[in-house]
PDB file of all heavy atoms in Angstrom:
ATOM      1  N   LYS A 242      -3.122  25.478 -10.258  1.00 97.00           N
ATOM      2  CA  LYS A 242      -1.711  25.378 -10.671  1.00 97.00           C
ATOM      3  C   LYS A 242      -0.899  24.727  -9.545  1.00 97.00           C
ATOM      4  O   LYS A 242      -0.058  25.340  -8.903  1.00 97.00           O
ATOM      5  CB  LYS A 242      -1.152  26.764 -11.017  1.00 97.00           C
ATOM      6  CG  LYS A 242      -2.000  27.532 -12.019  1.00 97.00           C
ATOM      7  CD  LYS A 242      -2.123  26.802 -13.368  1.00 97.00           C
ATOM      8  CE  LYS A 242      -2.993  27.575 -14.339  1.00 97.00           C
ATOM      9  NZ  LYS A 242      -4.274  26.907 -14.642  1.00 97.00           N
ATOM     10  N   HIS A 243      -1.220  23.483  -9.299  1.00 98.00           N
ATOM     11  CA  HIS A 243      -0.539  22.717  -8.260  1.00 98.00           C
ATOM     12  C   HIS A 243      -0.343  21.286  -8.750  1.00 98.00           C
ATOM     13  O   HIS A 243      -1.295  20.647  -9.171  1.00 98.00           O
ATOM     14  CB  HIS A 243      -1.381  22.708  -6.972  1.00 98.00           C
ATOM     15  CG  HIS A 243      -0.814  21.824  -5.903  1.00 98.00           C
ATOM     16  ND1 HIS A 243      -1.584  21.285  -4.904  1.00 98.00           N
ATOM     17  CD2 HIS A 243       0.440  21.365  -5.688  1.00 98.00           C
ATOM     18  CE1 HIS A 243      -0.813  20.539  -4.109  1.00 98.00           C
ATOM     19  NE2 HIS A 243       0.405  20.584  -4.565  1.00 98.00           N
ATOM     20  N   VAL A 244       0.894  20.830  -8.687  1.00 97.00           N
ATOM     21  CA  VAL A 244       1.159  19.426  -8.999  1.00 97.00           C
ATOM     22  C   VAL A 244       1.886  18.797  -7.813  1.00 97.00           C
ATOM     23  O   VAL A 244       2.925  19.296  -7.377  1.00 97.00           O
ATOM     24  CB  VAL A 244       2.030  19.271 -10.275  1.00 97.00           C
ATOM     25  CG1 VAL A 244       2.375  17.800 -10.503  1.00 97.00           C
ATOM     26  CG2 VAL A 244       1.318  19.821 -11.500  1.00 97.00           C
ATOM     27  N   HIS A 245       1.299  17.730  -7.301  1.00 97.00           N
ATOM     28  CA  HIS A 245       1.978  16.938  -6.276  1.00 97.00           C
ATOM     29  C   HIS A 245       2.670  15.804  -7.018  1.00 97.00           C
ATOM     30  O   HIS A 245       2.004  14.942  -7.592  1.00 97.00           O
ATOM     31  CB  HIS A 245       0.960  16.406  -5.267  1.00 97.00           C
ATOM     32  CG  HIS A 245       1.628  15.642  -4.163  1.00 97.00           C
ATOM     33  ND1 HIS A 245       2.380  16.254  -3.206  1.00 97.00           N
ATOM     34  CD2 HIS A 245       1.680  14.318  -3.898  1.00 97.00           C
ATOM     35  CE1 HIS A 245       2.868  15.343  -2.374  1.00 97.00           C
ATOM     36  NE2 HIS A 245       2.458  14.160  -2.776  1.00 97.00           N
ATOM     37  N   LEU A 246       3.993  15.841  -7.048  1.00 97.00           N
ATOM     38  CA  LEU A 246       4.741  14.924  -7.899  1.00 97.00           C
ATOM     39  C   LEU A 246       5.717  14.107  -7.049  1.00 97.00           C
ATOM     40  O   LEU A 246       6.858  14.518  -6.823  1.00 97.00           O
ATOM     41  CB  LEU A 246       5.516  15.770  -8.932  1.00 97.00           C
ATOM     42  CG  LEU A 246       6.071  15.054 -10.148  1.00 97.00           C
ATOM     43  CD1 LEU A 246       4.952  14.541 -11.046  1.00 97.00           C
ATOM     44  CD2 LEU A 246       6.981  15.985 -10.948  1.00 97.00           C
ATOM     45  N   PRO A 247       5.255  12.942  -6.565  1.00 98.00           N
ATOM     46  CA  PRO A 247       6.110  12.158  -5.662  1.00 98.00           C
ATOM     47  C   PRO A 247       7.455  11.777  -6.302  1.00 98.00           C
ATOM     48  O   PRO A 247       7.485  11.153  -7.360  1.00 98.00           O
ATOM     49  CB  PRO A 247       5.272  10.922  -5.353  1.00 98.00           C
ATOM     50  CG  PRO A 247       3.853  11.390  -5.548  1.00 98.00           C
ATOM     51  CD  PRO A 247       3.922  12.328  -6.722  1.00 98.00           C
ATOM     52  N   LEU A 248       8.536  12.201  -5.641  1.00 98.00           N
ATOM     53  CA  LEU A 248       9.888  11.865  -6.108  1.00 98.00           C
ATOM     54  C   LEU A 248      10.342  10.550  -5.478  1.00 98.00           C
ATOM     55  O   LEU A 248      10.946   9.724  -6.132  1.00 98.00           O
ATOM     56  CB  LEU A 248      10.844  13.015  -5.732  1.00 98.00           C
ATOM     57  CG  LEU A 248      12.345  12.757  -5.843  1.00 98.00           C
ATOM     58  CD1 LEU A 248      12.760  12.512  -7.294  1.00 98.00           C
ATOM     59  CD2 LEU A 248      13.155  13.934  -5.273  1.00 98.00           C
ATOM     60  N   GLN A 249      10.110  10.388  -4.195  1.00 98.00           N
ATOM     61  CA  GLN A 249      10.484   9.203  -3.372  1.00 98.00           C
ATOM     62  C   GLN A 249      11.977   9.136  -3.087  1.00 98.00           C
ATOM     63  O   GLN A 249      12.384   8.992  -1.939  1.00 98.00           O
ATOM     64  CB  GLN A 249       9.997   7.873  -3.976  1.00 98.00           C
ATOM     65  CG  GLN A 249       8.540   7.839  -4.429  1.00 98.00           C
ATOM     66  CD  GLN A 249       7.502   8.062  -3.340  1.00 98.00           C
ATOM     67  OE1 GLN A 249       7.840   8.344  -2.204  1.00 98.00           O
ATOM     68  NE2 GLN A 249       6.225   7.985  -3.698  1.00 98.00           N
ATOM     69  N   ALA A 250      12.806   9.201  -4.131  1.00 98.00           N
ATOM     70  CA  ALA A 250      14.266   9.209  -3.940  1.00 98.00           C
ATOM     71  C   ALA A 250      14.872   9.702  -5.240  1.00 98.00           C
ATOM     72  O   ALA A 250      14.185   9.742  -6.265  1.00 98.00           O
ATOM     73  CB  ALA A 250      14.778   7.804  -3.629  1.00 98.00           C
ATOM     74  N   ALA A 251      16.159  10.093  -5.187  1.00 98.00           N
ATOM     75  CA  ALA A 251      16.732  10.642  -6.415  1.00 98.00           C
ATOM     76  C   ALA A 251      17.862   9.795  -6.985  1.00 98.00           C
ATOM     77  O   ALA A 251      18.239   9.967  -8.130  1.00 98.00           O
ATOM     78  CB  ALA A 251      17.208  12.069  -6.180  1.00 98.00           C
ATOM     79  N   ASN A 252      18.398   8.889  -6.191  1.00 98.00           N
ATOM     80  CA  ASN A 252      19.486   8.063  -6.716  1.00 98.00           C
ATOM     81  C   ASN A 252      18.913   6.977  -7.640  1.00 98.00           C
ATOM     82  O   ASN A 252      17.936   6.314  -7.296  1.00 98.00           O
ATOM     83  CB  ASN A 252      20.244   7.425  -5.540  1.00 98.00           C
ATOM     84  CG  ASN A 252      21.228   6.386  -6.028  1.00 98.00           C
ATOM     85  OD1 ASN A 252      20.910   5.205  -6.097  1.00 98.00           O
ATOM     86  ND2 ASN A 252      22.413   6.822  -6.402  1.00 98.00           N
ATOM     87  N   ASN A 253      19.556   6.806  -8.793  1.00 98.00           N
ATOM     88  CA  ASN A 253      18.981   5.892  -9.795  1.00 98.00           C
ATOM     89  C   ASN A 253      18.952   4.432  -9.345  1.00 98.00           C
ATOM     90  O   ASN A 253      18.025   3.700  -9.676  1.00 98.00           O
ATOM     91  CB  ASN A 253      19.733   6.013 -11.124  1.00 98.00           C
ATOM     92  CG  ASN A 253      19.409   7.330 -11.802  1.00 98.00           C
ATOM     93  OD1 ASN A 253      18.406   7.974 -11.465  1.00 98.00           O
ATOM     94  ND2 ASN A 253      20.244   7.740 -12.733  1.00 98.00           N
TER      95      ASN A 253
END
Side-chain angles (χ1 to χ4, degrees):
K242 308 299 179 248
H243 174 204
V244 176
H245 183 71
L246 196 67
L248 167 65
Q249 312 298 5
N252 171 267
N253 288 342

